[in-house]
Amino acid sequence: MNLCVLCVSVVLFFPLFSFSQQTQKIYLSGTGSDQTVQWDFFCTGGMNANKWTKIAVPSCWELQGFGKYDYGFAKDSVRGKEKGLYKHRFNAPANWKGKVINIVFEGVMTDAEVKVNGKSAGAIHQGAFYAFKYDISKLLNYGKENTLEVTVAKHSANQSVNEAERKADFWIFGGIFRPVWLEVLPTVHIEQVAIDAKVNGNFTAKIQTNAAPESVTLQLYSSLTEKFGNPIAMQWDKASNGITVKNQFASPKQWNAEAPILYKAVITIYKNGKELHTVTKQFGFRTVEVKQRDGIYVNGVKVKMKGVNRHAFRPETGRTTSKQISIEDVLLIKEMNMNAVRMSHYPPDDHFLDVCDSLGLFVMDELAGWHGNYDETTGKKLLKEMIDHDVNHPSIIIWANGNEGGHNFALDKYFTEFDIQQRPVVHPWQLFGGFDTQHYREYNYGIGNYENGKDIVMPTEFLHGQFDGGHGAGIEDYWEKMWHNPLSAGGFLWDFADNAVVRKDKNDSLDTDKHRAADGIVGPHHEKEASFYTIKEVWSPVFFERREIAEGFDGKLNIENRYHYTNTKECSFSWKLKRFDVTTSKETEGKATAPDIQPGAKGTVQIPLPADWKNYDVLYVTVKDRYQKELFTWSFPISSPATTGARMIVKEGNNPINTSEKDSLLTVAVKDVAVVLNKNNGLLVSVKNSKGELPFNNGPVLQDGVNNFKSFKQYKEGNNLVLESSFNQKESYNTLKWTIYPSGWVQLQVNYFPAAYFTNFAGINFSFPEKEIQSVTYMGDGPYRVWKNRLKGNQFGVWSKTYNNTETGEAPWIYPEFKGYHSNFYGGHFFTKTNRFTVVTENEGLFLRLFTPAWKTDQWHNYEPLFPTGDISFMQGISSIGSKTQRNETTGPMGSKNIFYDYEKDPSRALHINLYFNFSAQ
């Protein structure tokens, strides 16, 4: 499903029927951040204060250059508490007289006092994220110009509103940040429609009017013009302003996150046989059920949330967004193979829910609250506004009452009272309603609770992102446990995007308030971090079992269908074989028959390989969903490093090997290369070629290990020169061997034992000045770096990476990062500004380490990027990474240290690294 088709489908589901008495919607503001209207504006403090000027509406006024920026942790004494005074003039046509005119505000941050023509429209509204309206019919000058005045206080006069909304771990803004419009309604009109449509066709609609009509009709549509079922007609009870319509529809198509089928209900009220008012509501047939100590079921199917927390946010506009932004966010979330999103920590724009309905995401909609909560009177009012606004969205399957202690228990009963669908309610980070939603719990956490309890486990926040930690780092361990635990309902990662705001007071720089808002899987402009692709692979609904391609491979790959509702035969499977040679590559590709595997079942996919498949280096398998969106492309190496290395390494040659010695240094000259080795410890001292010195030296240095290379002997092995240490089980159990070939190639072999049973690293280091590197082209997994607990998401291939100094989550958000660990290294070319050298290995599973990212830590020592000494390393064991809230070892087994037993230094049990270097410039 391409983007253009998606955009059209979203629009097409809001048809215009030719009824004479529809609600007219007249925007006074723009429709979003991409279309605004200039209003008069006066700010009382901060930037550009105390003067009348213009401002775009909707907007957050800080992003327009007014007031003061604040993050939610700012002390009360330094918070901006300025007000914004808005004025706007509009015409009310004379033919509106006798109709009902409402002014609707989709969202104002935070307190809004509204006047029309100098008269109050009603009580001050307090609470930023909730739509509210006033009937201004009696305040208008019909056929004339009218003046709208809105006074907005971003710091609420209601302290409970500040506790719930503004003392929080996110940016806080001020302004009319969502659209404003007029509703023009007939005198008798429909005020509210709430629909409950079960997957079995059981349909209920509660219709509320401002006055009693005589009758009502309801007709469902399954497409733009196709009716679904017969029309329903009912007489109205004149003593009531409400009516409940019930019906049973035969065989409706269900709404779920994989196949989001939507319907429309067209409701018309009548008097004296004349249509008074018609409204159209979009909905879906779906049933949500919680089975205690079992799970959450949607349409009778037990589901697991592959979810993420999402703020409504863009760097240039803050909380003011647009429908296009909603589409972009949902598409990106679904691209990671997610099926759920949590609204953190407030209800979203209406168009975001529309897009979730149309494209398919399960939604947890949240009443605002972050450690603090609304008082009961305020909370009840705002909760009703939220549910009235969002009730018909089939994507919403769970309500959340606040966040992390911001729960007013007195409000729980009102969720049941206000919601016709009786959706389940959770208290994020508490055990409530049968859901244990604790945040950031360690792998296997719990004493009689959580993983070791009896309730449904669904962390509403887990694997908290910070810089390059969290998210993908640990998710493989977590998800495999979640997937196989019957009590797990999945969970929601924290969070979707880095919230870096444009600072108008700091030369338009991007600000994440240091580490606090650098929590995203993607950057502020959706730059994809490595975790994006790790999540995409781990959460792919088509799961491939591990398979090493060997001699007897018959083209069959074992897979598991991890969809909830979709058979894999609705997907498409394709394959590609590729060979990498020194200067060229060749490939062939084809299709594979999609296997018939039911959701939750296992099976195989048969790749119809050509007879010469062994002549290629890698097999790629791509799976696309029913909309032709790629789930993932898996790579299965065919050739080993020894095989590809044999195509590059040249040992034979006619070049003489000359040696000279001075003190402890042995100089070996061959071809245009001169290598200087220390005869006492075996370390490379220097190397140069016809273009000059290569600053690659001071290695191999073992880590974690002991450089106890001793008793070197120098000898000829055929035409080759060898410098080799001697083995002693007590004093020199680690050994080193250099071999220089007449071709000019140099071989290094190291046999070693890690220094301890548990180590952060295992491998060898060399020195290389970071300022000298320009780029690296290597064969291996790429293009992103890895950690021990984040190995998935890359593909095997040949990757070229130009040096950058990117720190994940910080400006300028250039990805992939250059520095770090790179997995499955076969070989590569290292380029300086004027020179180059090549390294090739015969080892499988080797990691290439390129330099060291900046050191970071915190008061708990959770996020600490550990790297060995030196600059360029060839490792067999690397470190894992922690997150903002967890140490690395608590993210699961993959987060633990490397483990190796030395077998009392039995040389046959030693680890072995075998490298070949070509230092020649020729």
Side-chain angles (χ1 to χ4, degrees):
M1 185 185 293
N2 61 49
L3 180 57
C4 292
V5 172
L6 283 172
C7 292
V8 170
S9 68
V10 172
V11 172
L12 285 181
F13 230 95
F14 294 89
L16 295 176
F17 293 89
S18 57
F19 297 112
S20 59
Q21 293 293 326
Q22 294 185 74
T23 304
Q24 288 181 262
K25 188 174 185 179
I26 312 296
Y27 279 95
L28 300 182
S29 71
T31 57
S33 58
D34 54 356
Q35 195 269 312
T36 60
V37 171
Q38 293 291 312
W39 288 17
D40 295 326
F41 184 68
F42 182 99
C43 188
T44 64
M47 299 177 289
N48 293 308
N50 301 315
K51 60 183 178 181
W52 279 102
T53 182
K54 297 287 186 180
I55 194 171
V57 181
S59 69
C60 298
W61 65 53
E62 295 84 354
L63 279 303
Q64 301 297 312
F66 298 98
K68 183 179 183 297
Y69 284 86
D70 282 309
Y71 199 80
F73 287 159
K75 294 181 179 179
D76 188 72
S77 59
V78 300
R79 284 175 182 251
K81 297 181 181 180
E82 69 275 7
K83 294 182 179 181
L85 283 60
Y86 294 81
K87 286 185 181 181
H88 184 63
R89 293 165 180 82
F90 64 94
N91 290 317
N95 62 6
W96 284 5
K97 195 167 186 177
K99 297 184 177 182
V100 175
I101 316 298
N102 291 330
I103 187 167
V104 183
F105 293 83
E106 184 77 4
V108 178
M109 201 174 299
T110 300
D111 291 358
E113 180 182 11
V114 180
K115 294 181 179 180
V116 176
N117 296 323
K119 297 180 180 179
S120 173
I124 293 174
H125 186 272
Q126 298 174 321
F129 304 100
Y130 310 89
F132 59 97
K133 65 177 67 175
Y134 300 103
D135 182 348
I136 59 172
S137 308
K138 296 179 180 179
L139 304 180
L140 293 175
N141 296 321
Y142 295 98
K144 298 180 182 179
E145 185 177 78
N146 295 267
T147 300
L148 169 66
E149 297 173 279
V150 186
T151 299
V152 178
K154 74 176 187 180
H155 187 81
S156 180
N158 183 328
Q159 187 55 29
S160 80
V161 171
N162 294 322
E163 294 293 332
E165 297 181 6
R166 304 191 67 78
K167 293 185 178 181
D169 190 2
F170 48 78
W171 289 104
I172 53 176
F173 301 106
I176 302 174
F177 73 104
R178 289 176 180 168
V180 183
W181 65 87
L182 299 176
E183 282 182 343
V184 183
L185 300 157
T187 305
V188 178
H189 59 267
I190 298 168
E191 289 187 328
Q192 175 71 8
V193 177
I195 294 172
D196 181 20
K198 303 298 187 186
V199 71
N200 63 3
N202 192 343
F203 178 91
T204 302
K206 289 185 177 180
I207 304 165
Q208 190 76 24
T209 60
N210 68 324
E214 288 182 349
S215 62
V216 61
T217 63
L218 184 147
Q219 175 67 61
L220 300 191
Y221 289 81
S222 59
S223 67
L224 189 61
T225 58
E226 185 177 347
K227 293 181 179 180
F228 180 71
N230 297 319
I232 304 166
M234 293 181 64
Q235 293 299 306
W236 201 279
D237 181 357
K238 293 183 179 181
S240 173
N241 288 347
I243 192 170
T244 300
V245 178
K246 292 180 178 289
N247 197 54
Q248 183 71 39
F249 290 91
S251 304
K253 294 181 179 179
Q254 64 170 284
W255 184 97
N256 62 61
E258 296 167 18
I261 306 299
L262 293 168
Y263 290 80
K264 299 179 298 294
V266 178
I267 302 109
T268 305
I269 55 174
Y270 300 83
K271 190 170 185 179
N272 298 325
K274 181 181 178 181
E275 296 180 5
L276 297 179
H277 190 209
T278 295
V279 298
T280 300
K281 294 295 181 181
Q282 182 173 263
F283 71 97
F285 284 96
R286 66 103 184 86
T287 301
V288 180
E289 180 184 9
V290 175
K291 297 183 179 180
Q292 295 295 327
R293 299 195 171 194
D294 182 3
I296 182 167
Y297 288 74
V298 178
N299 304 337
V301 175
K302 192 174 184 178
V303 296
K304 294 180 187 284
M305 302 298 117
K306 299 184 295 182
V308 69
N309 287 266
R310 182 247 186 200
H311 276 293
F313 188 84
R314 277 298 185 279
E316 293 76 16
T317 59
R319 301 268 176 257
T320 302
T321 66
S322 66
K323 188 168 187 177
Q324 183 58 36
I325 285 174
S326 291
I327 292 171
E328 291 171 2
D329 283 8
V330 171
L331 287 176
L332 205 57
I333 290 168
K334 289 182 71 68
E335 188 180 339
M336 286 184 278
N337 291 314
M338 295 178 173
N339 65 2
V341 60
R342 177 188 173 207
M343 302 296 95
S344 53
H345 294 289
Y346 41 80
D349 301 87
D350 193 48
H351 48 69
F352 184 80
L353 296 173
D354 286 338
V355 177
C356 291
D357 292 342
S358 295
L359 301 187
L361 279 177
F362 295 129
V363 172
M364 178 183 291
D365 201 0
E366 185 159 306
L367 183 74
W370 197 91
H371 291 227
N373 56 260
Y374 301 115
D375 61 54
E376 184 174 357
T377 300
T378 304
K380 179 181 179 181
K381 178 180 180 292
L382 296 177
L383 176 59
K384 188 172 192 312
E385 289 175 351
M386 179 180 81
I387 293 180
D388 284 352
H389 187 267
D390 297 347
V391 65
N392 293 324
H393 289 284
S395 55
I396 300 172
I397 62 168
I398 303 171
W399 301 114
N401 180 0
N403 175 65
E404 294 188 352
H407 326 291
N408 185 336
F409 285 77
L411 299 178
D412 289 321
K413 60 181 176 291
Y414 299 120
F415 283 91
T416 304
E417 178 182 332
F418 298 152
D419 180 20
I420 188 176
Q421 296 182 23
Q422 305 289 287
R423 297 169 176 92
V425 179
V426 299
H427 289 182
W429 98 338
Q430 287 189 339
L431 171 55
F432 179 83
F435 288 93
D436 196 333
T437 62
Q438 292 188 64
H439 291 178
Y440 311 121
R441 294 305 89 201
E442 290 81 357
Y443 186 87
N444 201 37
Y445 171 87
I447 301 174
N449 64 353
Y450 205 65
E451 283 289 343
N452 297 297
K454 305 291 185 180
D455 295 285
I456 301 165
V457 179
M458 186 181 67
T460 36
E461 296 176 27
F462 76 109
L463 290 176
H464 194 306
Q466 183 176 38
F467 304 116
D468 204 27
H471 297 146
I475 194 172
E476 185 176 355
D477 280 337
Y478 268 76
W479 185 245
E480 286 307 301
K481 191 166 191 177
M482 288 174 166
W483 182 255
H484 292 101
N485 178 6
L487 287 181
S488 172
F492 297 82
L493 295 167
W494 184 269
D495 72 339
F496 174 55
D498 291 335
N499 280 200
V501 67
V502 172
R503 291 296 297 259
K504 291 295 181 181
D505 56 344
K506 295 183 178 180
N507 299 315
D508 285 354
S509 60
L510 287 171
D511 184 6
T512 57
D513 198 46
K514 299 179 180 178
H515 65 277
R516 293 189 180 95
D519 300 341
I521 302 167
V522 297
H525 293 107
H526 290 176
E527 302 90 342
K528 296 175 181 177
E529 297 180 9
S531 281
F532 182 96
Y533 295 99
T534 306
I535 294 163
K536 184 177 178 66
E537 180 176 3
V538 172
W539 273 352
S540 169
V542 176
F543 172 81
F544 279 75
E545 288 185 4
R546 177 178 174 178
R547 179 62 191 258
E548 297 295 323
I549 306 299
E551 184 74 23
F553 180 55
D554 60 0
K556 287 184 178 178
L557 296 170
N558 293 332
I559 64 173
E560 181 181 0
N561 183 353
R562 292 187 171 181
Y563 276 112
H564 292 306
Y565 304 95
T566 304
N567 190 305
T568 53
K569 67 183 180 182
E570 298 182 55
C571 299
S572 64
F573 291 70
S574 61
W575 57 270
K576 179 187 292 185
L577 289 166
K578 197 165 187 176
R579 177 185 171 97
F580 306 103
D581 288 314
V582 176
T583 57
T584 62
S585 64
K586 71 171 186 175
E587 60 185 59
T588 185
E589 59 186 29
K591 303 288 185 183
T593 301
D596 184 352
I597 305 173
Q598 293 292 332
K602 295 182 178 182
T604 61
V605 59
Q606 178 69 55
I607 308 300
L609 296 173
D612 65 343
W613 66 269
K614 297 177 187 176
N615 295 331
Y616 293 86
D617 294 323
V618 62
L619 167 67
Y620 299 107
V621 179
T622 299
V623 183
K624 295 182 178 180
D625 66 15
R626 54 155 61 107
Y627 306 110
Q628 291 304 296
K629 301 291 286 185
E630 181 183 306
L631 299 180
F632 196 73
T633 294
W634 290 261
S635 51
F636 301 90
I638 297 171
S639 298
S640 68
T643 301
T644 58
R647 302 202 295 261
M648 296 181 63
I649 299 165
V650 179
K651 297 181 179 180
E652 304 301 322
N654 298 318
N655 302 294
I657 300 175
N658 299 310
T659 63
S660 62
E661 298 185 29
K662 184 177 181 180
D663 298 328
S664 62
L665 300 182
L666 170 67
T667 300
V668 183
V670 58
K671 204 174 180 180
D672 67 327
V673 176
V675 175
V676 179
L677 302 172
N678 187 310
K679 294 190 301 179
N680 294 336
N681 57 26
L683 297 188
L684 175 66
V685 176
S686 67
V687 60
K688 64 180 179 179
N689 59 27
S690 58
K691 288 187 176 182
E693 184 174 353
L694 286 164
F696 181 77
N697 51 53
N698 191 34
V701 175
L702 288 169
Q703 196 172 359
D704 291 326
V706 180
N707 265 50
N708 55 8
F709 309 126
K710 294 181 179 180
S711 305
F712 281 86
K713 52 186 177 181
Q714 176 185 330
Y715 60 92
K716 294 283 283 187
E717 191 174 70
N719 293 327
N720 310 326
L721 178 69
V722 175
L723 181 68
E724 183 178 18
S725 70
S726 300
F727 174 80
N728 181 288
Q729 200 159 4
K730 290 185 178 180
E731 295 183 354
S732 54
Y733 44 80
N734 296 323
T735 62
L736 177 155
K737 180 181 180 181
W738 290 100
T739 303
I740 293 89
Y741 296 99
S743 64
W745 281 74
V746 178
Q747 183 182 12
L748 169 64
Q749 295 170 283
V750 178
N751 295 317
Y752 71 101
F753 296 93
Y757 187 60
F758 297 102
T759 58
N760 286 316
F761 319 106
I764 57 175
N765 306 314
F766 290 86
S767 296
F768 191 102
E770 187 176 324
K771 65 181 181 180
E772 297 294 329
I773 198 72
Q774 188 171 46
S775 65
V776 173
T777 297
Y778 72 97
M779 182 185 295
D781 293 339
Y784 284 87
R785 71 185 185 194
V786 300
W787 302 95
K788 183 174 180 288
N789 55 348
R790 192 188 70 199
L791 294 175
K792 287 192 172 180
N794 279 319
Q795 293 179 17
F796 181 82
V798 174
W799 306 98
S800 294
K801 299 185 71 170
T802 301
Y803 175 83
N804 63 53
N805 197 30
T806 295
E807 292 297 326
T808 314
E810 296 182 355
W813 287 277
I814 297 173
Y815 300 128
E817 304 91 338
F818 182 83
K819 296 188 284 189
Y821 302 113
H822 298 76
S823 60
N824 205 16
F825 176 74
Y826 277 46
H829 306 296
F830 298 75
F831 297 90
T832 69
K833 293 179 180 179
T834 59
N835 217 331
R836 60 174 275 182
F837 67 96
T838 299
V839 183
V840 177
T841 185
E842 292 181 346
N843 288 93
E844 293 185 300
L846 199 65
F847 296 91
L848 168 66
R849 174 278 191 107
L850 293 173
F851 306 102
T852 302
W855 172 253
K856 290 181 172 67
T857 189
D858 54 70
Q859 66 193 89
W860 303 283
H861 300 286
N862 288 330
Y863 181 89
E864 294 186 338
L866 301 178
F867 283 86
T869 59
D871 303 293
I872 295 176
S873 307
F874 305 93
M875 312 297 293
Q876 293 175 303
I878 62 172
S879 61
S880 55
I881 190 70
S883 72
K884 187 172 185 175
T885 55
Q886 290 175 250
R887 296 185 304 278
N888 51 352
E889 66 267 22
T890 71
T891 65
M894 293 175 68
S896 62
K897 291 185 177 183
N898 301 286
I899 304 173
F900 189 83
Y901 180 58
D902 67 5
Y903 295 94
E904 298 180 346
K905 306 299 188 295
D906 177 355
S908 67
R909 300 283 193 145
L911 293 173
H912 178 71
I913 292 179
N914 188 6
L915 301 175
Y916 292 84
F917 300 91
N918 182 7
F919 295 120
S920 175
Q922 297 178 5

